[in-house]
Amino acid sequence: MSNNVGLDAGCAYIKIAYKNNVGEIQQFSIPSLARYGKATVGMGNDAGFTYHCDGEEWSINPDHEKSADTRFDSYPYSSLNAVLSTHALIEAGFTDEVTVASGIPLNHYFEHHGGPNKSKIEDKHRNYDRQVKRAGHGSQAPLRVISKKVCPEALAAWVDVCLDDDGNDRESTARPVGLVDIGGRTTDITVALPGFRIDAEHTGTIELGYLDVCSHLNDLLIKHHDAGRISTFALDKALQTKEIQLYRGSKLDISELVEKAVSIVSNEIAREVERRFMKAGHLAGICYFGGGAENMRSQLSKSMNVHIPEKAQFANARGYLKALEYVG
């Protein structure tokens, strides 16, 4: 497989995209769940992985309990982000050296006047210069990550929509399009202009994302089933399966609570999107991306002239890869 990788190191999941030996784009993800300190071993010998980075020790365990909260502003440039990114690459089968294109939120990538924030972009490049080593690998050299390109999130996802896997045009970029990237912690909103440019005047970030759906679901479980605080890993699983087992009881069908939690967040995002795009003039349509868009697909698709690509949670990762290989 190619050593070029699109790496979307988000607050909820680390997503990667790369090409196999016949040039087909492959996708892989892990939850963004790690905890400070050594990995533990249970009676079932389910040992986790311990990583060392900048004098810090981080562990990733199969149960994902008591994981560190990734919802802090400097997360894209943190040792936690570097450790989770390296773990995802290793688990996907990469060894020795890998060249990555990654991204940062729009409100990090651009200055207030609309130009690139060179300091933040360089911070992201430097984050992959950190040496991250998995404990127990003996004399094996750490995976070397070469940061080649840093892209603005959302715009990278639009690159994925506009270019096929070989870099050929498959969508016109002649008219302005509204872009909404729903991540784990935040939602980026912007207007894409011809030539993969953005309208800085209508670009912004909402402090709302997929992890807020998890929080609302937990609140609803507390209200209706007297549940306590539940781990992010368990809540994410419950959102996917629409059932949960509390204490020693049988599994509960929580379809209605899941729909309500998703609706609360998706409606709030949709209202803010409508408010902001009303000022942007006529748009050809609105594209939603990100893990949140995949989770909220049925609700968001009810609006007119909305497009959500297949496996929307990987759109940025695929866009990073295509930008690395086809966009100057």
Side-chain angles (χ1 to χ4, degrees), residues 118-158:
K118 295 180 181 180
S119 176
K120 288 290 188 185
I121 294 169
E122 189 55 37
D123 284 346
K124 188 60 180 175
H125 279 301
R126 278 199 299 267
N127 200 48
Y128 292 119
D129 288 336
R130 300 171 187 261
Q131 186 179 92
V132 179
K133 189 168 184 179
R134 182 188 280 189
H137 271 211
S139 60
Q140 181 176 333
L143 177 68
R144 185 182 177 212
V145 180
I146 300 171
S147 180
K148 191 72 174 290
K149 184 184 284 285
V150 175
C151 309
E153 294 175 1
L155 192 58
W158 181 234

Side-chain angles (χ1 to χ4, degrees), residues 99-117:
T99 300
V100 304
S102 62
I104 53 178
L106 291 175
N107 64 336
H108 287 211
Y109 192 92
F110 294 103
E111 298 273 17
H112 295 301
H113 56 71
N117 187 328

